[in-house]
Amino acid sequence: MNVHATPQRTPAETALIEAFGERLGLLPGDSEVMVQRDGAIEMIKAGFPTRRIESWHYTDLRRLLGKVPEFDATASVRAPDPILEGSGLVTLINGAISGKPSLAEGVSFASLAEKLTDGSAAAELKTYGSDDTIGAINAAFVADGVLLDIAAGTELEKPVELQNLQAGGQTHVRMVVNAGAGSRAVIVERQSGEGAGLVSSVSQLTVGDGAEVTWLIIQEQPETAQHLAQFKAEIGADARLTLFIMNAGGKLVRQEVHVKVSGEGSDFQLRGVNLLSGDSHTDVTMVLDHAVPHTGSVEVVRNVVTGKAHGVFQGRINVHQVAQKTDARMACNTLLLSDDGEFSAKPELEIFADDVACGHGATVTDIHGDHLFYLMSRGITEKSARGLLVKAFVAEVIEELEDEQIVEALEARLDDWFATHG
């Protein structure tokens, strides 16, 4: 007979369970919402996933999620100027809407707190499975967030920036965006703050038929923060979603990406940049479902690892049996600039169709000595030469965005990171 002992609860699990009991009366929601919250906390009571769970194999949350801070209703932080000049703004500070949103015509706004209170947002809190720890933490504690609807046919001339700012304590937000058929939009999801906080953030996007959305996730948490995030999207027929992720901060970071390509003729593009330093742990885990014929996707992730940092990229592409003529490609490339740094890459393809073009690859390397010598032989110092080569390695995927304003803004943030960590 095999006996499996139940693991002892970690301090983080205990703290979250106790915090739920203390805050239950303060959380908005009708009976249906509370059913979802109760189910979420039961998942937490069952324990964080161990490394035996495949999707969490490289991120031992039981060990890595350290002290869980208490909620701090008095903490505040100044909202920064938008990354892209002229953007419409929606700002959340420590998990609550701050100020009046500034949005263009054709974009309607609602507070998640209102929709939780009347119960209409109950379905948004459903978790996707037994290993959805981030979704469970968020569903249990989220009290506010953003619901945006971009009307069909609307072409936004200016981007929309969704700012999620933390000043310590716990911050739990959810951002739900619907891009109507034929719409065009650039959305910036900005994750930053000043405190040693615990952040859970879930973004949900629906891309209507024929719509085009560029979504930028810029994560620049302080080196003491713990950041757990999800991006979930469904793409309609003849639609295009370009997702760009930049991780440039945080002590513990887990960014999940779940995308379903559900309309024929649709296209998904992912470009990612992970800038890792200190003793941070950053995990980007993606699951992409090609569920219909004649769709395409390309995912390219570039990583720079310094210090004692540990990075992870897990990417799985599922090609369903009906999804003939799928063209899906994935690459993960890493510059490992420290003997003490680590990077774990696990690209996967699961293909049930027989008429597809799919491929994946991963590389890990240091700066090539010949390239360094070439620059130094022309009077450039070794430090400057290394900086130029590393920046070129990363900037290549930024430039693929092809929007001059976006490229310049992202390269400026790249320069800021290298000025501190280069």
Side-chain angles (χ1 to χ4, degrees):
M1 181 176 67
N2 294 324
V3 177
H4 298 281
T6 302
Q8 184 178 357
R9 278 185 182 148
T10 67
E13 290 168 345
T14 300
L16 288 170
I17 293 165
E18 292 177 351
F20 183 75
E22 294 167 0
R23 292 191 60 81
L24 189 57
L26 302 174
L27 296 171
D30 68 350
S31 60
E32 291 187 17
V33 169
M34 296 315 297
V35 167
Q36 298 297 332
R37 293 194 190 279
D38 289 342
I41 203 64
E42 288 302 316
M43 286 181 62
I44 296 171
K45 288 179 180 179
F48 291 156
T50 68
R51 294 187 63 197
R52 292 180 179 179
I53 305 300
E54 189 68 21
S55 59
W56 289 89
H57 179 73
Y58 299 101
T59 298
D60 186 356
L61 202 61
R62 292 178 57 81
R63 178 179 62 85
L64 292 170
L65 186 57
K67 181 181 178 182
V68 173
E70 297 181 358
F71 284 84
D72 187 352
T74 64
S76 186
V77 62
R78 186 185 70 84
D81 293 331
I83 292 173
L84 302 177
E85 186 177 354
S87 296
L89 275 178
V90 181
T91 301
L92 297 108
I93 296 179
N94 272 20
I97 295 289
S98 176
K100 184 178 180 181
S102 170
L103 296 168
E105 185 178 351
V107 182
S108 60
F109 163 84
S111 162
L112 181 64
E114 297 173 0
K115 300 301 181 181
L116 290 171
T117 299
D118 66 23
S120 58
E124 308 293 347
L125 303 187
K126 290 182 179 178
T127 55
Y128 65 75
S130 60
D131 61 345
D132 185 9
T133 302
I134 296 175
I137 293 173
N138 188 270
F141 291 102
V142 66
D144 205 357
V146 177
L147 287 89
L148 294 184
D149 188 84
I150 303 170
T154 299
E155 296 190 16
L156 297 181
E157 296 183 0
K158 297 291 185 179
V160 175
E161 180 165 305
L162 308 177
Q163 297 183 342
N164 181 30
L165 312 175
Q166 58 91 9
Q170 292 187 44
T171 298
H172 306 280
V173 302
R174 194 164 287 232
M175 296 175 277
V176 182
V177 177
N178 177 62
S183 61
R184 304 285 185 274
V186 174
I187 310 290
V188 179
E189 176 187 327
R190 189 172 188 178
Q191 304 278 355
S192 64
E194 297 178 354
L198 169 64
V199 178
S200 78
S201 177
V202 176
S203 301
Q204 299 166 238
L205 170 66
T206 302
V207 185
D209 293 349
E212 292 186 14
V213 175
T214 298
W215 189 293
L216 313 176
I217 299 177
I218 311 300
Q219 186 277 118
E220 297 174 310
Q221 297 286 5
E223 295 179 352
T224 52
Q226 302 172 110
H227 182 82
L228 306 175
Q230 276 183 1
F231 174 85
K232 300 188 287 188
E234 185 165 358
I235 309 173
D238 299 314
R240 179 182 176 90
L241 169 61
T242 300
L243 173 64
F244 180 87
I245 299 172
M246 176 182 280
N247 283 309
K251 171 74 171 178
L252 166 64
V253 176
R254 165 89 169 192
Q255 173 68 62
E256 296 180 356
V257 176
H258 301 270
V259 174
K260 184 175 183 181
V261 181
S262 57
E264 289 195 40
S266 57
D267 181 75
F268 172 62
Q269 299 288 316
L270 168 67
R271 299 295 182 271
V273 172
N274 294 308
L275 306 173
L276 313 184
S277 63
D279 60 352
S280 62
H281 180 100
T282 299
D283 176 344
V284 176
T285 292
M286 181 202 78
V287 178
L288 169 61
D289 281 296
H290 283 272
V292 295
H294 301 283
T295 61
S297 67
V298 177
E299 299 79 44
V300 180
V301 178
R302 295 283 170 91
N303 314 289
V304 178
V305 183
T306 65
K308 298 181 179 179
H310 182 201
V312 177
F313 173 71
Q314 296 183 103
R316 190 175 85 233
I317 300 175
N318 301 321
V319 181
H320 295 214
Q321 188 172 5
V322 299
Q324 304 294 344
K325 303 297 183 180
T326 292
D327 188 341
R329 306 177 190 279
M330 174 169 50
C332 176
N333 310 112
T334 302
L335 270 181
L336 196 59
L337 303 180
S338 166
D339 291 339
D340 296 320
E342 297 179 8
F343 199 91
S344 303
K346 187 187 176 189
E348 297 178 82
L349 292 172
E350 193 170 85
I351 302 172
F352 294 98
D354 57 12
D355 187 6
V356 301
C358 298
H360 65 68
T363 61
V364 179
T365 187
D366 195 350
I367 291 176
H368 199 288
D370 290 348
H371 299 163
L372 198 61
F373 175 79
Y374 177 85
L375 292 174
M376 292 175 64
S377 68
R378 282 151 178 76
I380 300 174
T381 65
E382 181 178 356
K383 181 178 180 181
S384 297
R386 290 176 70 88
L388 287 171
L389 290 169
V390 173
K391 184 179 177 181
F393 169 76
V394 174
E396 184 178 1
V397 295
I398 294 176
E399 291 167 359
E400 289 185 26
L401 294 171
E402 297 182 345
D403 182 300
E404 185 175 351
Q405 183 188 22
I406 294 175
V407 170
E408 289 180 357
L410 293 178
E411 289 186 340
R413 312 205 82 72
L414 198 60
D415 290 338
D416 290 344
W417 190 88
F418 283 123
T420 304
H421 303 93

